[in-house]
mmCIF file of all heavy atoms in Angstrom:
data_model
loop_
_atom_site.group_PDB
_atom_site.id
_atom_site.type_symbol
_atom_site.label_atom_id
_atom_site.label_comp_id
_atom_site.label_asym_id
_atom_site.label_seq_id
_atom_site.Cartn_x
_atom_site.Cartn_y
_atom_site.Cartn_z
ATOM 1 N N LYS A 374 44.029 76.536 95.934
ATOM 2 C CA LYS A 374 44.030 75.346 96.777
ATOM 3 C C LYS A 374 45.295 75.260 97.596
ATOM 4 O O LYS A 374 45.241 74.935 98.805
ATOM 5 C CB LYS A 374 43.925 74.133 95.913
ATOM 6 C CG LYS A 374 42.572 73.960 95.250
ATOM 7 C CD LYS A 374 42.570 72.704 94.310
ATOM 8 C CE LYS A 374 41.210 72.619 93.602
ATOM 9 N NZ LYS A 374 41.197 71.366 92.690
ATOM 10 N N LEU A 375 46.430 75.584 97.018
ATOM 11 C CA LEU A 375 47.743 75.568 97.717
ATOM 12 C C LEU A 375 47.772 76.579 98.897
ATOM 13 O O LEU A 375 48.143 76.270 100.005
ATOM 14 C CB LEU A 375 48.864 75.850 96.753
ATOM 15 C CG LEU A 375 50.293 75.861 97.358
ATOM 16 C CD1 LEU A 375 50.656 74.579 98.022
ATOM 17 C CD2 LEU A 375 51.281 76.231 96.286
ATOM 18 N N ASP A 376 47.311 77.824 98.635
ATOM 19 C CA ASP A 376 47.235 78.772 99.614
ATOM 20 C C ASP A 376 46.286 78.374 100.787
ATOM 21 O O ASP A 376 46.591 78.607 101.970
ATOM 22 C CB ASP A 376 46.762 80.103 99.108
ATOM 23 C CG ASP A 376 47.805 80.753 98.106
ATOM 24 O OD1 ASP A 376 48.976 80.296 98.200
ATOM 25 O OD2 ASP A 376 47.419 81.578 97.330
ATOM 26 N N SER A 377 45.221 77.776 100.445
ATOM 27 C CA SER A 377 44.274 77.237 101.406
ATOM 28 C C SER A 377 44.884 76.149 102.323
ATOM 29 O O SER A 377 44.734 76.215 103.480
ATOM 30 C CB SER A 377 42.980 76.733 100.711
ATOM 31 O OG SER A 377 42.092 76.138 101.701
ATOM 32 N N LYS A 378 45.574 75.251 101.673
ATOM 33 C CA LYS A 378 46.194 74.138 102.447
ATOM 34 C C LYS A 378 47.308 74.755 103.268
ATOM 35 O O LYS A 378 47.509 74.209 104.426
ATOM 36 C CB LYS A 378 46.776 73.093 101.411
ATOM 37 C CG LYS A 378 45.736 72.457 100.606
ATOM 38 C CD LYS A 378 44.685 71.657 101.408
ATOM 39 C CE LYS A 378 43.676 71.012 100.485
ATOM 40 N NZ LYS A 378 42.668 70.332 101.287
ATOM 41 N N LEU A 379 48.077 75.662 102.751
ATOM 42 C CA LEU A 379 49.145 76.246 103.621
ATOM 43 C C LEU A 379 48.558 76.965 104.826
ATOM 44 O O LEU A 379 49.143 76.881 105.954
ATOM 45 C CB LEU A 379 49.957 77.253 102.792
ATOM 46 C CG LEU A 379 50.921 76.592 101.736
ATOM 47 C CD1 LEU A 379 51.524 77.656 100.841
ATOM 48 C CD2 LEU A 379 51.969 75.745 102.420
ATOM 49 N N SER A 380 47.511 77.674 104.634
ATOM 50 C CA SER A 380 46.764 78.289 105.781
ATOM 51 C C SER A 380 46.274 77.282 106.773
ATOM 52 O O SER A 380 46.455 77.513 107.977
ATOM 53 C CB SER A 380 45.616 79.197 105.185
ATOM 54 O OG SER A 380 44.935 79.783 106.279
ATOM 55 N N GLN A 381 45.691 76.264 106.272
ATOM 56 C CA GLN A 381 45.209 75.131 107.201
ATOM 57 C C GLN A 381 46.403 74.511 107.963
ATOM 58 O O GLN A 381 46.319 74.211 109.130
ATOM 59 C CB GLN A 381 44.495 74.064 106.332
ATOM 60 C CG GLN A 381 43.156 74.498 105.775
ATOM 61 C CD GLN A 381 42.584 73.379 104.936
ATOM 62 O OE1 GLN A 381 42.564 72.248 105.334
ATOM 63 N NE2 GLN A 381 41.999 73.770 103.873
ATOM 64 N N LEU A 382 47.534 74.349 107.240
ATOM 65 C CA LEU A 382 48.718 73.763 107.887
ATOM 66 C C LEU A 382 49.233 74.734 109.011
ATOM 67 O O LEU A 382 49.598 74.252 110.062
ATOM 68 C CB LEU A 382 49.760 73.492 106.869
ATOM 69 C CG LEU A 382 51.102 72.835 107.405
ATOM 70 C CD1 LEU A 382 50.785 71.518 108.044
ATOM 71 C CD2 LEU A 382 52.080 72.711 106.310
ATOM 72 N N ALA A 383 49.282 75.972 108.708
ATOM 73 C CA ALA A 383 49.681 76.985 109.762
ATOM 74 C C ALA A 383 48.788 76.933 110.960
ATOM 75 O O ALA A 383 49.233 76.951 112.118
ATOM 76 C CB ALA A 383 49.734 78.360 109.108
ATOM 77 N N ASP A 384 47.441 76.888 110.734
ATOM 78 C CA ASP A 384 46.558 76.803 111.818
ATOM 79 C C ASP A 384 46.758 75.490 112.606
ATOM 80 O O ASP A 384 46.656 75.487 113.847
ATOM 81 C CB ASP A 384 45.083 76.845 111.271
ATOM 82 C CG ASP A 384 44.696 78.215 110.766
ATOM 83 O OD1 ASP A 384 45.393 79.214 111.075
ATOM 84 O OD2 ASP A 384 43.798 78.277 109.976
ATOM 85 N N LEU A 385 46.986 74.416 111.915
ATOM 86 C CA LEU A 385 47.140 73.206 112.581
ATOM 87 C C LEU A 385 48.478 73.178 113.394
ATOM 88 O O LEU A 385 48.469 72.605 114.530
ATOM 89 C CB LEU A 385 47.288 72.048 111.537
ATOM 90 C CG LEU A 385 47.363 70.648 112.034
ATOM 91 C CD1 LEU A 385 46.143 70.289 112.899
ATOM 92 C CD2 LEU A 385 47.444 69.665 110.912
ATOM 93 N N GLU A 386 49.478 73.829 112.900
ATOM 94 C CA GLU A 386 50.725 73.954 113.680
ATOM 95 C C GLU A 386 50.506 74.701 115.035
ATOM 96 O O GLU A 386 50.977 74.391 116.063
ATOM 97 C CB GLU A 386 51.842 74.596 112.895
ATOM 98 C CG GLU A 386 52.341 73.770 111.663
ATOM 99 C CD GLU A 386 53.163 72.601 112.176
ATOM 100 O OE1 GLU A 386 53.444 72.472 113.372
ATOM 101 O OE2 GLU A 386 53.443 71.713 111.349
ATOM 102 N N ARG A 387 49.711 75.825 114.930
ATOM 103 C CA ARG A 387 49.388 76.556 116.093
ATOM 104 C C ARG A 387 48.572 75.708 117.071
ATOM 105 O O ARG A 387 48.748 75.764 118.323
ATOM 106 C CB ARG A 387 48.599 77.839 115.683
ATOM 107 C CG ARG A 387 49.493 78.904 115.097
ATOM 108 C CD ARG A 387 48.732 80.226 115.011
ATOM 109 N NE ARG A 387 47.600 80.174 114.183
ATOM 110 C CZ ARG A 387 47.575 80.421 112.860
ATOM 111 N NH1 ARG A 387 48.751 80.720 112.260
ATOM 112 N NH2 ARG A 387 46.516 80.355 112.129
ATOM 113 N N GLN A 388 47.630 74.959 116.525
ATOM 114 C CA GLN A 388 46.831 74.054 117.398
ATOM 115 C C GLN A 388 47.738 73.025 118.099
ATOM 116 O O GLN A 388 47.530 72.727 119.236
ATOM 117 C CB GLN A 388 45.777 73.378 116.628
ATOM 118 C CG GLN A 388 44.683 74.338 116.028
ATOM 119 C CD GLN A 388 43.717 73.655 115.112
ATOM 120 O OE1 GLN A 388 43.736 72.339 115.018
ATOM 121 N NE2 GLN A 388 42.970 74.382 114.322
ATOM 122 N N LEU A 389 48.711 72.532 117.349
ATOM 123 C CA LEU A 389 49.627 71.482 117.909
ATOM 124 C C LEU A 389 50.465 72.088 119.099
ATOM 125 O O LEU A 389 50.660 71.490 120.118
ATOM 126 C CB LEU A 389 50.569 70.905 116.808
ATOM 127 C CG LEU A 389 49.885 69.880 115.962
ATOM 128 C CD1 LEU A 389 50.874 69.593 114.794
ATOM 129 C CD2 LEU A 389 49.599 68.554 116.701
ATOM 130 N N GLN A 390 51.012 73.306 118.847
ATOM 131 C CA GLN A 390 51.765 73.988 119.830
ATOM 132 C C GLN A 390 50.893 74.267 121.073
ATOM 133 O O GLN A 390 51.365 74.114 122.271
ATOM 134 C CB GLN A 390 52.368 75.306 119.279
ATOM 135 C CG GLN A 390 53.387 75.120 118.177
ATOM 136 C CD GLN A 390 54.571 74.401 118.595
ATOM 137 O OE1 GLN A 390 55.045 74.494 119.734
ATOM 138 N NE2 GLN A 390 55.178 73.514 117.775
ATOM 139 N N ASN A 391 49.718 74.738 120.812
ATOM 140 C CA ASN A 391 48.823 75.024 121.980
ATOM 141 C C ASN A 391 48.473 73.698 122.702
ATOM 142 O O ASN A 391 48.423 73.711 123.971
ATOM 143 C CB ASN A 391 47.556 75.670 121.503
ATOM 144 C CG ASN A 391 47.753 77.117 120.974
ATOM 145 O OD1 ASN A 391 48.772 77.731 121.331
ATOM 146 N ND2 ASN A 391 46.845 77.552 120.137
ATOM 147 N N GLN A 392 48.255 72.618 121.939
ATOM 148 C CA GLN A 392 47.939 71.376 122.664
ATOM 149 C C GLN A 392 49.129 70.912 123.449
ATOM 150 O O GLN A 392 48.935 70.396 124.550
ATOM 151 C CB GLN A 392 47.585 70.333 121.576
ATOM 152 C CG GLN A 392 47.126 69.044 122.129
ATOM 153 C CD GLN A 392 46.809 67.962 121.068
ATOM 154 O OE1 GLN A 392 46.868 68.280 119.883
ATOM 155 N NE2 GLN A 392 46.255 66.865 121.493
ATOM 156 N N ILE A 393 50.376 70.983 122.953
ATOM 157 C CA ILE A 393 51.525 70.574 123.698
ATOM 158 C C ILE A 393 51.716 71.407 124.927
ATOM 159 O O ILE A 393 52.050 70.856 126.019
ATOM 160 C CB ILE A 393 52.781 70.639 122.727
ATOM 161 C CG1 ILE A 393 52.662 69.557 121.613
ATOM 162 C CG2 ILE A 393 54.015 70.435 123.550
ATOM 163 C CD1 ILE A 393 53.775 69.711 120.598
ATOM 164 N N ALA A 394 51.494 72.716 124.802
ATOM 165 C CA ALA A 394 51.615 73.577 125.987
ATOM 166 C C ALA A 394 50.581 73.187 127.047
ATOM 167 O O ALA A 394 50.950 73.132 128.253
ATOM 168 C CB ALA A 394 51.456 75.073 125.583
ATOM 169 N N ARG A 395 49.325 72.966 126.653
ATOM 170 C CA ARG A 395 48.343 72.591 127.624
ATOM 171 C C ARG A 395 48.668 71.228 128.243
ATOM 172 O O ARG A 395 48.465 71.012 129.386
ATOM 173 C CB ARG A 395 46.975 72.480 126.913
ATOM 174 C CG ARG A 395 46.380 73.856 126.559
ATOM 175 C CD ARG A 395 44.873 73.801 126.255
ATOM 176 N NE ARG A 395 44.659 72.816 125.160
ATOM 177 C CZ ARG A 395 44.608 73.087 123.841
ATOM 178 N NH1 ARG A 395 44.857 74.305 123.483
ATOM 179 N NH2 ARG A 395 44.349 72.128 122.969
ATOM 180 N N HIS A 396 49.238 70.314 127.373
ATOM 181 C CA HIS A 396 49.600 69.031 127.884
ATOM 182 C C HIS A 396 50.681 69.147 128.996
ATOM 183 O O HIS A 396 50.626 68.506 130.041
ATOM 184 C CB HIS A 396 50.114 68.135 126.759
ATOM 185 C CG HIS A 396 50.721 66.841 127.201
ATOM 186 N ND1 HIS A 396 52.074 66.756 127.349
ATOM 187 C CD2 HIS A 396 50.235 65.644 127.544
ATOM 188 C CE1 HIS A 396 52.436 65.505 127.776
ATOM 189 N NE2 HIS A 396 51.261 64.826 127.936
ATOM 190 N N ASP A 397 51.727 69.954 128.640
ATOM 191 C CA ASP A 397 52.792 70.139 129.644
ATOM 192 C C ASP A 397 52.270 70.681 130.934
ATOM 193 O O ASP A 397 52.662 70.292 132.025
ATOM 194 C CB ASP A 397 53.823 71.037 129.065
ATOM 195 C CG ASP A 397 54.571 70.376 127.905
ATOM 196 O OD1 ASP A 397 54.516 69.111 127.761
ATOM 197 O OD2 ASP A 397 55.259 71.060 127.142
ATOM 198 N N GLN A 398 51.366 71.748 130.847
ATOM 199 C CA GLN A 398 50.785 72.315 132.042
ATOM 200 C C GLN A 398 49.988 71.349 132.837
ATOM 201 O O GLN A 398 50.049 71.272 134.078
ATOM 202 C CB GLN A 398 49.944 73.545 131.628
ATOM 203 C CG GLN A 398 49.376 74.334 132.816
ATOM 204 C CD GLN A 398 50.447 74.906 133.751
ATOM 205 O OE1 GLN A 398 51.391 75.415 133.290
ATOM 206 N NE2 GLN A 398 50.285 74.797 135.045
ATOM 207 N N LYS A 399 49.168 70.563 132.152
ATOM 208 C CA LYS A 399 48.347 69.547 132.708
ATOM 209 C C LYS A 399 49.192 68.561 133.438
ATOM 210 O O LYS A 399 48.898 68.089 134.565
ATOM 211 C CB LYS A 399 47.435 68.913 131.740
ATOM 212 C CG LYS A 399 46.356 68.030 132.365
ATOM 213 C CD LYS A 399 45.334 68.708 133.124
ATOM 214 C CE LYS A 399 44.203 67.854 133.565
ATOM 215 N NZ LYS A 399 43.153 68.560 134.380
ATOM 216 N N MET A 400 50.199 68.032 132.789
ATOM 217 C CA MET A 400 51.084 67.044 133.393
ATOM 218 C C MET A 400 51.783 67.602 134.611
ATOM 219 O O MET A 400 51.953 66.827 135.630
ATOM 220 C CB MET A 400 52.120 66.610 132.327
ATOM 221 C CG MET A 400 51.533 65.784 131.138
ATOM 222 S SD MET A 400 50.717 64.283 131.672
ATOM 223 C CE MET A 400 52.181 63.351 132.287
ATOM 224 N N THR A 401 52.159 68.843 134.561
ATOM 225 C CA THR A 401 52.866 69.426 135.772
ATOM 226 C C THR A 401 51.767 69.425 136.891
ATOM 227 O O THR A 401 52.229 69.160 138.064
ATOM 228 C CB THR A 401 53.278 70.829 135.410
ATOM 229 O OG1 THR A 401 54.171 70.808 134.353
ATOM 230 C CG2 THR A 401 53.871 71.507 136.607
ATOM 231 N N ASP A 402 50.564 69.821 136.584
ATOM 232 C CA ASP A 402 49.587 69.791 137.700
ATOM 233 C C ASP A 402 49.326 68.395 138.240
ATOM 234 O O ASP A 402 49.150 68.272 139.482
ATOM 235 C CB ASP A 402 48.266 70.457 137.177
ATOM 236 C CG ASP A 402 48.424 71.867 136.804
ATOM 237 O OD1 ASP A 402 49.421 72.462 137.312
ATOM 238 O OD2 ASP A 402 47.571 72.416 135.962
ATOM 239 N N LEU A 403 49.240 67.467 137.395
ATOM 240 C CA LEU A 403 48.904 66.054 137.826
ATOM 241 C C LEU A 403 50.027 65.431 138.588
ATOM 242 O O LEU A 403 49.867 64.561 139.452
ATOM 243 C CB LEU A 403 48.496 65.229 136.590
ATOM 244 C CG LEU A 403 47.107 65.592 136.000
ATOM 245 C CD1 LEU A 403 46.908 64.810 134.730
ATOM 246 C CD2 LEU A 403 45.962 65.433 137.035
ATOM 247 N N LEU A 404 51.275 65.741 138.155
ATOM 248 C CA LEU A 404 52.428 65.119 138.824
ATOM 249 C C LEU A 404 52.908 65.893 140.092
ATOM 250 O O LEU A 404 53.838 65.409 140.769
ATOM 251 C CB LEU A 404 53.623 65.111 137.816
ATOM 252 C CG LEU A 404 53.392 64.119 136.631
ATOM 253 C CD1 LEU A 404 54.579 64.282 135.587
ATOM 254 C CD2 LEU A 404 53.248 62.737 137.063
ATOM 255 N N ARG A 405 52.308 67.036 140.412
ATOM 256 C CA ARG A 405 52.698 67.788 141.666
ATOM 257 C C ARG A 405 52.263 66.959 142.866
ATOM 258 O O ARG A 405 51.083 66.519 142.889
ATOM 259 C CB ARG A 405 52.085 69.186 141.617
ATOM 260 C CG ARG A 405 52.508 70.029 142.799
ATOM 261 C CD ARG A 405 51.832 71.384 142.735
ATOM 262 N NE ARG A 405 52.142 72.071 141.518
ATOM 263 C CZ ARG A 405 51.259 72.486 140.659
ATOM 264 N NH1 ARG A 405 49.956 72.301 140.885
ATOM 265 N NH2 ARG A 405 51.587 73.192 139.590
#
Side-chain angles (χ1 to χ4, degrees):
K374 291 179 181 179
L375 179 60
D376 292 342
S377 175
K378 298 300 181 183
L379 289 172
S380 177
Q381 292 178 39
L382 182 60
D384 291 340
L385 184 60
E386 291 290 351
R387 286 193 296 271
Q388 293 173 12
L389 283 171
Q390 294 298 325
N391 293 337
Q392 183 179 5
I393 293 172
R395 288 196 305 271
H396 169 264
D397 292 344
Q398 182 62 44
K399 186 70 174 179
M400 292 298 293
T401 301
D402 294 341
L403 291 175
L404 293 175
R405 185 180 300 122

